[in-house]
Amino acid sequence: MRDELLKHAKRIVVKIGSSLVASRDCGLRPEQIDRLADEIALLRTGGREILIVSSGAIVSGIKKLGLKTYPKNLPVKQAAAAVGQSRLMWAYEKAFERVGFKVAQILLTHQDLADRRRFLNARHTLTTLLAFGVVPIINENDTVAVDEIRFGDNDTLAGEVAHLVDADLLVILSDVDGFYTEDPRRNPTATLIPLIPDVTEDIEHRAGLSSTFEGTGGMATKVRAAKKVAEYGVATLILNGGKPGLLPAVFAGQPGGSLFLARSRRLTSRKQWIAFTLRARGSLKLDDGAVEALTKRGKSLLASGIMDVSGRFEAGDPVACTNRDGKEFAKGLVNFSSETLARIKGLKTPEIQQLLGQQEYEEVIHRDNLVIL
Ligand code: GLU
């Protein structure tokens, strides 16, 4: 199954972690990028398409600016990213030129994908580049990204890119061999798990314990990305990119790394975007009747089923729906602001009309804009 999956994966997003291409002492390591480019070029046989999400801008920038420590201050980090990004691209450009491929630089923020038009636009640009045989090299646009619009780490960004381009496989290359039963750096008896059919709570818990790994996110963000992309039908391979030759060997059927299987795709592209790209700005607590209407009877959400409104949001914003116990079970685009909803929660349509006059919408979240998670 594993071999079949790797053999048939046609569109692959390869995430390359900072520790593979840069270090605080040496700055950028172009020789590592050359090696990875050679190995990635080997995968591009049989019409395979590759997109790369590469970290390393900040770490290379730190060295280039002569900073002694990792900056805490955001503008300094952003300055380092700007200085480092051009160096990173220079290395990728040269490395892929040697093996006969063109590259393109794409810098994204979460905001670019949270707007449906920009999301589709980014998708068109990336697929056009792939059609030209170009290898897109993607990173977060660290120079302009402040907290609200950040992906935060490149595992998350790579997951979103895999969704954006409808990839078959996400490969996360870092300096660890894969997913272990425990953190192997703390417990030498930990064993590698080669195949993970489902990201259970136990797997997530184990990943959370291993947060000492290098990089921004450690194992926790990798497993979170794997879980998220599995939901929209993308498998994830976590592999040690620091071992020369391992990447092509694994694609040729050798063992290595941990493969997280995908679930079957069940949502339309727009609903996937609502479910996985958008971040909820608030939440609505629903009574049992509304929970049942939404989950079992395929209905839209009406104000009468809302018990509580939290967060501040405007009409059109994404919000989460929870049951009485606060467990999130759905997400959707809301037709009313939080302020209006606080006034009309629990009311029936005629009562709402009396209070606010005739409204454009009856539904608080229309079924077409609602996803059951
Ligand atoms: N975008 C950051 C960089 O290029 C890396 C973030 C991460 O490693 O997760 O340095």
Side-chain angles (χ1 to χ4, degrees):
M1 172 194 233
R2 184 185 144 109
D3 289 356
E4 284 297 292
L5 205 151
L6 296 180
K7 201 163 103 199
H8 291 120
K10 182 165 183 290
R11 184 170 286 178
I12 305 176
V13 174
V14 180
K15 188 258 173 173
I16 300 180
S18 287
S19 59
L20 296 178
V21 293
S23 76
R24 300 231 193 124
D25 300 334
C26 325
L28 189 76
R29 298 167 66 201
E31 75 289 355
Q32 289 301 323
I33 295 184
D34 283 349
R35 175 181 64 78
L36 287 164
D38 291 347
E39 295 185 4
I40 288 168
L42 294 176
L43 302 186
R44 276 241 331 207
T45 50
R48 259 210 202 110
E49 299 169 323
I50 309 276
L51 301 97
I52 293 176
V53 172
S54 180
S55 306
I58 297 178
V59 179
S60 345
I62 288 173
K63 171 77 180 169
K64 213 170 148 189
L65 288 178
L67 303 175
K68 295 275 169 292
T69 53
Y70 196 88
K72 289 204 174 59
N73 171 302
L74 185 63
V76 178
K77 231 190 265 181
Q78 293 180 315
V83 165
Q85 179 63 26
S86 61
R87 195 160 172 76
L88 191 65
M89 275 315 294
W90 164 81
Y92 274 107
E93 175 98 44
K94 288 214 319 188
F96 275 99
E97 206 165 33
R98 293 166 32 257
V99 285
F101 295 126
K102 297 182 186 70
V103 299
Q105 168 179 263
I106 311 274
L107 299 176
L108 292 172
T109 63
H110 173 72
Q111 212 173 26
D112 297 322
L113 305 187
D115 178 298
R116 184 74 180 158
R117 256 188 47 223
R118 282 160 76 178
F119 175 94
L120 293 174
N121 198 30
R123 169 181 287 183
H124 287 148
T125 308
L126 286 169
T127 48
T128 305
L129 286 168
L130 293 175
F132 274 111
V134 172
V135 179
I137 314 279
I138 303 156
N139 197 355
E140 175 144 25
N141 196 352
D142 290 307
T143 315
V144 298
V146 288
D147 276 351
E148 310 79 80
I149 60 164
R150 290 193 75 201
F151 295 103
D153 64 83
N154 276 8
D155 297 323
T156 305
L157 169 63
E160 303 249 349
V161 168
H163 170 221
L164 177 67
V165 300
D166 232 343
D168 303 305
L169 180 69
L170 168 64
V171 178
I172 299 183
L173 297 179
S174 75
D175 55 359
V176 289
D177 289 334
F179 187 75
Y180 280 84
T181 48
E182 283 174 66
D183 187 341
R185 294 175 193 189
R186 286 192 204 155
N187 185 349
T189 64
T191 51
L192 184 80
I193 310 180
L195 190 74
I196 295 139
D198 197 12
V199 180
T200 57
E201 275 181 22
D202 176 56
I203 297 276
E204 278 185 284
H205 176 70
R206 287 172 194 274
L209 297 177
S210 315
S211 53
T212 51
F213 291 145
E214 264 287 319
T216 310
M219 195 45 78
T221 55
K222 291 176 182 44
V223 169
R224 211 176 301 135
K227 180 178 178 183
K228 211 168 159 189
V229 300
E231 288 286 335
Y232 41 77
V234 184
T236 301
L237 177 69
I238 298 181
L239 192 67
N240 193 333
K243 290 193 173 158
L246 184 61
L247 177 69
V250 162
F251 274 83
Q254 300 293 315
S258 300
L259 182 67
F260 293 72
L261 296 185
R263 289 165 180 260
S264 56
R265 288 173 203 232
R266 55 190 175 89
L267 295 174
T268 61
S269 162
R270 186 165 180 286
K271 289 211 170 181
Q272 281 185 10
W273 173 74
I274 292 173
F276 305 116
T277 304
L278 295 187
R279 294 175 185 167
R281 301 232 156 178
S283 71
L284 306 175
K285 186 188 273 190
L286 309 186
D287 65 21
D288 299 342
V291 173
E292 202 203 297
L294 262 49
T295 54
K296 304 227 171 81
R297 289 189 279 121
K299 299 283 191 201
S300 296
L301 176 65
L302 301 179
S304 56
I306 301 177
M307 298 168 67
D308 240 324
V309 179
S310 47
R312 284 179 72 85
F313 48 83
E314 297 302 324
D317 280 345
V319 297
C321 297
T322 73
N323 66 10
R324 266 176 197 286
D325 305 326
K327 188 168 173 0
E328 183 177 328
F329 70 94
K331 194 151 102 192
L333 303 180
V334 81
N335 286 332
F336 298 91
S337 69
S338 48
E339 216 172 302
T340 308
L341 281 180
R343 294 179 63 199
I344 65 173
K345 67 177 186 201
L347 300 186
K348 300 233 174 340
T349 306
E351 295 169 314
I352 297 171
Q353 274 175 12
Q354 234 174 16
L355 188 71
L356 303 176
Q358 185 68 35
Q359 291 298 299
E360 206 178 326
Y361 302 101
E362 187 183 359
E363 306 85 8
V364 171
I365 301 178
H366 191 275
R367 190 69 205 178
D368 292 347
N369 294 324
L370 180 84
V371 188
I372 306 297
L373 302 170

